[in-house]
Amino acid sequence: MLVAVATAPLAVACTTPPPPPPPPDVLEDLLRAARSDAALATAVGAPETAAARAEHATRLAAEIDRATPKVPTTSSPSSAAPTSVAPPAGATREQLVAALRAAQKQAADLAPTVPTHRAGLVASVSAGCASLLEALA
């Protein structure tokens, strides 16, 4: 009985709750936009734009996965969410242009706020969106 009372504090110390999951990555919004834009571009018949935005999504997901701490008790990172997005019904080229403009601005606004090792990726997404807009013009 004395042993049980003496080891009780040790048992409590070994069962501390796991740390909370990390906050969402700042690149998550860019990733969602890239996946959505790829689906939209596919729907409007712009395969090159769809491929470029899918590549942006792949690179962003890889960076999010790299930077996300692996906590054994959490599920897989949110960037591992479904990679395909259903294109909107009645998608138009104008919607694609508007989405690319929004993604370009979003990435351009984010680039100066992220660490330098991520700024190149974010800036290249912005530049890529700008060149896709030129190609669609």
Side-chain angles (χ1 to χ4, degrees):
M1 176 75 156
L2 184 57
V3 172
V5 172
T7 59
L10 295 175
V12 171
C14 293
T15 59
T16 58
D25 194 291
V26 296
L27 301 183
E28 287 286 341
D29 288 339
L30 288 178
L31 174 60
R32 278 190 291 280
R35 288 177 175 162
S36 176
D37 293 353
L40 184 58
T42 299
V44 300
E48 296 85 8
T49 301
R53 290 301 279 151
E55 183 64 23
H56 290 167
T58 298
R59 301 298 177 174
L60 289 163
E63 171 56 20
I64 292 167
D65 290 344
R66 184 204 63 78
T68 303
K70 306 299 183 245
V71 179
T73 59
T74 62
S75 61
S76 60
S78 58
S79 64
T83 57
S84 61
V85 176
T92 65
R93 190 175 180 92
E94 290 76 25
Q95 288 174 322
L96 177 59
V97 168
L100 288 171
R101 278 195 186 110
Q104 178 192 7
K105 180 175 179 359
Q106 180 184 24
D109 290 347
L110 184 61
T113 69
V114 296
T116 55
H117 66 278
R118 291 180 133 194
L121 172 64
V122 175
S124 71
V125 167
S126 178
C129 290
S131 66
L132 292 171
L133 284 165
E134 287 296 316
L136 289 172

